[in-house]
Amino acid sequence: MYLSRPVRAIIEEPHAGETITLILRLPDAHTDGDLERVAAAVESEGGEVKKRLSTGGLKIVADHEDVKAITAVDGLDAVETNDTLHMALDGAGEDVEYPGETR
C-alpha cells in the first residue's frame, strides 16, 4: 500500500490535538460494499468520513493519533493527504522538494 511522505511522518511522529484531512484510495476493482466496509472500519478507528469520492475513495478527517490505525484498515490501496489533490502553479505540492528548499 502507498503512504505519502506526510502520512508516514504523521505515523512516526503524531502531534497531539492536531487533525488531518486524508484521501483513502481503494483498489480499482473494489465494490460499493468494499467502500462501505472500509468507511465503517475507518470510523471505528476514530476517523470521520466527510465524503465518498467519485473516484471510489474516501475523504476523511482524523486526529494524528488515529492515522496509524486507519492506515492499517484492510482494503486500502493508498493513503494521502488532501493536499495531494491540489496542484499549485509551481509544482505538484506536498511530495516535491526543490533544491535548497527547507520545510
Side-chain angles (χ1 to χ4, degrees):
M1 176 183 45
Y2 172 75
L3 299 174
S4 71
R5 183 178 10 201
V7 171
R8 291 189 311 265
I10 290 169
I11 290 169
E12 292 171 10
E13 205 171 314
H15 295 262
E18 294 287 325
T19 61
I20 183 90
T21 302
L22 299 172
I23 303 300
L24 309 181
R25 301 192 189 283
L26 280 69
D28 290 339
H30 75 274
T31 66
D32 288 341
D34 295 333
L35 186 65
E36 293 309 314
R37 183 187 50 74
V38 168
V42 164
E43 289 181 341
S44 74
E45 295 295 349
E48 180 183 352
V49 175
K50 291 295 194 177
K51 185 175 184 181
R52 283 155 176 77
L53 303 173
S54 61
T55 57
L58 298 169
K59 180 177 181 177
I60 72 158
V61 173
D63 291 335
H64 278 211
E65 295 94 339
D66 296 329
V67 171
K68 183 175 184 177
I70 289 168
T71 61
V73 166
D74 189 42
L76 293 175
D77 196 41
V79 180
E80 304 168 290
T81 64
N82 189 53
D83 292 338
T84 316
L85 292 180
H86 304 285
M87 288 189 64
L89 294 174
D90 62 350
E94 70 168 28
D95 290 335
V96 177
E97 290 183 19
Y98 299 98
E101 180 181 67
T102 57
R103 290 189 181 216

